[in-house]
């Protein structure tokens, strides 16, 4: 993604605050040899370094948080994740197309204005960690339920028990 220096986040805290208010994006995974990347729209829960114990350092000494997401086992992304766990999560919000005539300098014909696109976005380069144990899956689903449905209203997520038993099985 092209980011001019004047459009970049001032520091890690700026994009982390922005991302904390978003929970839907597109996960891009490397395709197999000779295949294009696979892209999966998905809900996720971002946890900044303040709420997670596992962090990674950035090149400038900052730290990153974690992204929690759930993919059903039949999802075609699984073999690709097993083969190459480096992924990209792209989140876009607040976008606009600015017509050329709006951009024309004074004393210039309107048709000489150059159109542009403006948007807010974060792209996270991540290493996917596959969670496959029943208790680990249940904990992941509980964390997502706490994020997406904090008021409750659903059965408790317990490994191997209805209604989430299939989602936590090996």
């Amino acid at each position: 993604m092209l980011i001019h220096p004047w459009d970049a986040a001032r520091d890690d805290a700026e994009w982390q605050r922005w991302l904390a208010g978003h929970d839907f994006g597109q996960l891009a995974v490397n395709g197999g040899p000779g295949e294009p990347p696979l892209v999966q729209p998905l809900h996720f829960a971002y946890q900044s370094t303040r709420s997670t114990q596992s962090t990674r350092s950035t090149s400038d000494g900052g730290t990153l948080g974690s992204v929690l997401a759930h993919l059903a086992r039949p999802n075609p992304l699984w073999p690709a994740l097993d083969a190459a766990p480096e992924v990209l999560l792209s989140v876009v919000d607040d976008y606009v197309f600015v017509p050329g005539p709006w951009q024309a300098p004074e004393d210039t014909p309107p048709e000489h204005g150059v159109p542009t696109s403006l948007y807010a976005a974060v792209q996270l380069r991540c290493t996917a960690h596959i969670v496959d144990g029943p208790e680990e899956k249940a904990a992941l689903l509980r964390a997502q339920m706490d994020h997406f449905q904090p008021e409750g209203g659903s059965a408790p997520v317990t490994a191997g028990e209805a209604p989430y038993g299939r989602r936590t099985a090996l």
Side-chain angles (χ1 to χ4, degrees):
M1 162 168 57
L2 171 63
I3 303 173
H4 294 289
W6 55 86
D7 289 331
R10 287 169 268 190
D11 54 32
D12 285 343
E14 183 179 13
W15 67 259
Q16 288 176 330
R17 277 191 309 275
W18 184 87
L19 189 59
H22 295 78
D23 52 23
F24 193 83
Q26 294 190 341
L27 182 66
V29 177
N30 290 316
E35 294 293 320
L38 302 167
V39 178
Q40 173 70 55
L42 81 162
H43 282 97
F44 65 88
Y46 172 70
Q47 296 178 323
S48 72
T49 57
R50 290 181 283 288
S51 59
T52 172
Q53 297 172 355
S54 173
T55 60
R56 190 179 104 210
S57 295
T58 63
S59 59
D60 65 358
T63 54
L64 303 175
S66 298
V67 171
L68 299 177
H70 177 268
L71 297 172
R73 208 30 142 155
N75 191 304
L77 267 63
W78 278 99
L81 287 170
D82 283 334
E86 292 296 321
V87 301
L88 184 83
L89 177 63
S90 181
V91 183
V92 178
D93 193 14
D94 297 334
Y95 62 90
V96 65
F97 176 81
V98 181
W102 294 6
Q103 301 261 86
E106 281 191 44
D107 302 324
T108 304
E111 63 271 15
H112 288 202
V114 178
T116 191
S117 291
L118 302 172
Y119 50 89
V122 167
Q123 289 186 339
L124 296 177
R125 184 175 177 183
C126 308
T127 301
H129 298 279
I130 295 173
V131 174
D132 229 1
E135 290 300 329
E136 292 172 295
K137 287 181 190 179
L140 188 145
L141 287 172
R142 278 192 297 275
Q144 285 192 294
M145 292 294 283
D146 289 346
H147 173 79
F148 287 104
Q149 201 170 317
E151 70 282 353
S154 291
V157 179
T158 305
E161 293 185 22
Y164 301 103
R166 270 189 39 221
R167 289 177 175 83
T168 60
L170 289 174

